[in-house]
Amino acid sequence: MKAGAGWVKFTATPLFTYMIRIKQKTVSRSFDEVIAALRQHEFDVAAVAGVANRFVVKKHGCGATLERTEDSELRIVGKPMAIVGGEMATLEDRGYQKFLVTERLTVAATAGALENLHKFSEELKEVIGARTFYNEALGTTSDRYMYDRVKGRD
């Protein structure tokens, strides 16, 4: 096998060499094609009122804000979030339990909610062509970690 065309050669020791295939973004789609692909994959897409080039996408009880870049591509603003009580909720990890937190509500994150958030994030990144990082691919990452905190000492 030759290095190149997505294949990268690694030499771990003089006796052991291996090749891995690195997936590379090869398809460049226009903004309108990406919006059409999101709708085709059953995402609800809506423009943010009063803000140019911003869109909210929703699916599986989760949502994310997308922004149109100068290159006419879409990028995720912040992180995908679960929707609780009609609001986007941040995910807080308190060590013993994860919570979905909005300005008005704090609810325990269920396994189903975390699975939906992970599924939504993966589907969205695949459709818009965004990178998925190793720690995000393993599971849901929290927005805030509050392990063994003394109250009032953040």
Side-chain angles (χ1 to χ4, degrees):
M1 220 177 282
K2 290 178 140 181
W7 289 92
V8 179
K9 182 178 179 179
F10 290 95
T11 303
T13 67
L15 299 175
F16 182 66
T17 300
Y18 58 96
M19 304 276 289
I20 62 169
R21 183 162 177 90
I22 297 177
K23 185 177 177 182
Q24 297 175 341
K25 184 178 174 183
T26 56
V27 178
S28 180
R29 296 185 296 180
S30 73
F31 170 77
D32 293 328
E33 290 173 333
V34 173
I35 293 294
L38 285 167
R39 289 189 172 124
Q40 182 181 4
H41 285 87
E42 300 176 358
F43 284 88
D44 294 327
V45 181
V48 175
V51 182
N53 297 321
R54 288 246 171 144
F55 300 86
V56 173
V57 294
K58 297 178 183 178
K59 186 177 180 181
H60 303 304
C62 302
T65 303
L66 302 179
E67 180 177 63
R68 185 177 184 173
T69 65
E70 294 174 3
D71 301 333
S72 291
E73 293 181 354
L74 283 175
R75 72 176 184 91
I76 300 172
V77 178
K79 290 176 63 174
M81 298 179 177
I83 298 173
V84 177
E87 295 181 54
M88 299 275 211
T90 58
L91 186 62
E92 184 176 288
D93 190 337
R94 297 186 187 167
Y96 60 92
Q97 173 78 46
K98 289 185 185 272
F99 292 88
L100 296 170
V101 180
T102 68
E103 289 184 15
R104 294 181 291 139
L105 295 170
T106 299
V107 296
T110 63
L114 295 175
E115 287 174 9
N116 286 341
L117 181 57
H118 184 69
K119 182 171 37 171
F120 171 79
S121 179
E122 289 296 309
E123 286 181 33
L124 177 63
K125 288 178 182 180
E126 187 173 329
V127 172
I128 70 171
R131 290 184 187 161
T132 299
F133 296 103
Y134 177 76
N135 63 325
E136 295 170 345
L138 291 176
T140 309
T141 57
S142 298
D143 299 306
R144 186 173 173 186
Y145 296 89
M146 299 296 295
Y147 298 129
D148 301 324
R149 300 282 182 170
V150 175
K151 191 170 187 161
R153 190 176 72 178
D154 285 332

